[in-house]
Amino acid sequence: MAAAAAAGAWVLVLSLWGSVVGGQNITAQIGEPLVLNCRGAPRKPPQQLEWKLNTGRTEAWKVLSPQGSPWDSVARVLPNGSLLLPAVGIQDEGTFRCRAMNRRGKETKSNYRVRVYKIPEKPEIVDPASELTVGDPSKVGTCVSEGSYPAGTLSWHLNGKPLIPDGKGVLVREETRRHPESGLFTLQSELIVTLAQGAAAGPTFFCSFSPGLPRHPALNTALIQPVVRSGRTPGSESVPLEVQLLMEPEGGVVPQGGTVTLTCEAPAQPSSQIHWIKDGIPLPLPSSPVLLIPEVGPQDEGTYSCVATHPSQGTKESPAVNIILETEEEGRAAGSVGGSGLGTLALALGILGGLGLAALLIGAILWRKRHHRGEERKASENQEEEEERAELNQSEDPEAAESSAGGP
């Protein structure tokens, strides 16, 4: 009577918790009970059977039998020989085997591969766009699904048709996180679209979650219908992203221990993200339009370029420049060239100084000649005046003699 009562109680439990399954590949929903049938086992004690489990909870095979005690709250053998897992968890995924012998001595083996799943609630679109602009990259929204296992996938639809990301008109940014305790997944998918001219006036978007296991109808978000605004007028289109790389000193030949400054110029700054590349390998540096290389050494020689990434204009790489370490021969050659230049400058200054001195001497000589001529001219003029005075005096003397002879 006690055995019959126990069996009746188990039948009642099974009718409430779930149904008995018997197959090779089993899928069970997380948190729900699971019963695995041991084929060939006698329905009533005494029974000769043994269950072996290899799951995420075990490091080796775990053995359970009707005569043994239950495995905590994880699993137990029912009176009919079946194995009950009261609440399946992610750690219960694995292999379950049962070996039973009936009363006639025939042995039967059962082998199950158990996988678990969790269907999340309907996904939601966070921060849905109220309007979109034709020709401009516009964020439609972020689709979020929480509490799935396996992770599953999110997809976007426009006017009922799937949107295929192409990196241009349709851009999707996805992120998957797993909860450290529950092991369940959270998915995020951000949709950015660039509507072309002539696009539908009232586009309808929605996001869909597809479980990874088992086959289950997709879960869709509510519809969103942003308003479409006309695009930019002709002539107001954005300037294509052009990137230039400036280097100081020019030419890229640097003495050892010197400093090199590389400046990446992009018209779309500061919105652009600037990253640096050396010899084709990205440098692990934060985004910055300036790359300063102090105390240049042999390890700094190479080919450098910068890459500018703009949210709406894509990615563009600058022309490359080379940094070359100056050798000792080049330094001496540069010094000799500088010495010859200084000699030429000194020679030119000497010639100019000589010419200036000659000009001063010639001027002095000409001045002395002119001064001497002036003095000679003055002397001749004075002599002529004295001769004229002498002649006048001679003419006056006879007249005075005649007048004195004719007197009383």
Side-chain angles (χ1 to χ4, degrees):
M1 291 295 295
W10 279 118
V11 170
L12 178 60
V13 169
L14 293 179
S15 65
L16 294 175
W17 281 358
S19 59
V20 176
V21 294
Q24 297 298 318
N25 296 313
I26 305 298
T27 56
Q29 187 169 351
I30 294 175
E32 297 296 324
L34 174 65
V35 176
L36 300 177
N37 183 27
C38 184
R39 293 191 294 269
R43 297 296 178 184
K44 297 179 180 179
Q47 301 159 321
Q48 295 185 13
L49 62 88
E50 180 184 72
W51 280 97
K52 298 177 69 176
L53 291 67
N54 188 5
T55 68
R57 300 181 188 271
T58 63
E59 296 181 358
W61 289 96
K62 176 74 174 179
V63 178
L64 295 176
S65 65
Q67 294 78 22
S69 56
W71 183 16
D72 299 331
S73 60
V74 178
R76 69 185 66 180
V77 179
L78 299 179
N80 64 356
S82 298
L83 183 68
L84 169 67
L85 284 76
V88 176
I90 294 176
Q91 291 182 324
D92 294 318
E93 286 189 318
T95 303
F96 295 75
R97 295 175 181 175
C98 181
R99 184 172 59 87
M101 184 176 295
N102 62 17
R103 303 186 190 282
R104 291 174 295 182
K106 182 180 178 180
E107 185 178 273
T108 304
K109 296 181 179 180
S110 305
N111 189 16
Y112 299 95
R113 175 64 180 170
V114 175
R115 299 191 66 183
V116 301
Y117 68 94
K118 176 70 173 177
I119 303 299
E121 299 294 330
K122 278 190 174 184
E124 296 182 358
I125 297 179
V126 181
D127 297 329
S130 58
E131 63 179 43
L132 305 175
T133 302
V134 173
D136 280 344
S138 304
K139 178 181 174 181
V140 176
T142 301
C143 183
V144 179
S145 172
E146 296 181 341
S148 62
Y149 186 88
T153 57
L154 291 174
S155 58
W156 287 89
H157 300 259
L158 171 60
N159 298 330
K161 297 180 180 180
L163 280 173
I164 308 297
D166 57 9
K168 298 178 181 179
V170 179
L171 179 62
V172 176
R173 297 172 180 168
E174 297 180 334
E175 181 182 357
T176 301
R177 300 191 305 271
R178 190 171 185 180
H179 195 279
E181 296 180 1
S182 68
L184 302 180
F185 290 92
T186 296
L187 308 181
Q188 288 188 0
S189 177
E190 181 183 83
L191 175 63
I192 299 175
V193 299
T194 304
L195 298 179
Q197 293 289 344
T204 301
F205 295 89
F206 70 88
C207 176
S208 177
F209 171 82
S210 298
L213 181 79
R215 294 180 180 178
H216 189 281
L219 302 176
N220 300 328
T221 65
L223 303 178
I224 60 173
Q225 293 180 305
V227 177
V228 176
R229 303 294 184 186
S230 59
R232 297 183 294 268
T233 58
S236 64
E237 288 80 4
S238 61
V239 178
L241 185 62
E242 295 293 338
V243 183
Q244 297 294 330
L245 181 56
L246 304 180
M247 181 168 56
E248 180 63 34
E250 296 182 359
V253 180
V254 188
Q256 185 161 343
T259 300
V260 175
T261 303
L262 301 178
T263 304
C264 190
E265 293 188 346
Q269 292 184 17
S271 300
S272 297
Q273 294 289 318
I274 306 296
H275 297 281
W276 295 91
I277 296 177
K278 178 190 177 187
D279 297 330
I281 301 175
L283 296 177
L285 300 173
S287 174
S288 174
V290 177
L291 177 61
L292 180 65
I293 308 175
E295 299 182 359
V296 174
Q299 71 279 2
D300 299 313
E301 287 188 306
T303 301
Y304 290 78
S305 62
C306 64
V307 175
T309 303
H310 192 269
S312 63
Q313 300 186 37
T315 300
K316 183 75 173 181
E317 184 175 356
S318 72
V321 297
N322 294 315
I323 293 180
I324 303 172
L325 197 63
E326 182 182 74
T327 62
E328 294 182 1
E329 290 77 6
E330 291 173 340
R332 286 196 295 269
S336 64
V337 170
S340 63
L342 291 175
T344 302
L345 178 61
L347 178 59
L349 292 175
I351 293 173
L352 292 175
L355 292 175
L357 182 59
L360 289 174
L361 290 175
I362 293 171
I365 293 170
L366 292 175
W367 180 81
R368 288 179 64 89
K369 285 183 178 182
R370 290 176 183 173
H371 183 68
H372 182 66
R373 288 175 184 174
E375 289 180 349
E376 290 179 346
R377 190 179 297 112
K378 282 184 179 181
S380 61
E381 289 177 355
N382 292 335
Q383 186 176 359
E384 289 177 356
E385 289 179 356
E386 290 178 359
E387 289 178 354
E388 289 178 359
R389 290 195 190 97
E391 290 177 357
L392 291 175
N393 291 333
Q394 291 176 1
S395 62
E396 290 178 355
D397 290 339
E399 290 178 358
E402 290 178 356
S403 62
S404 61

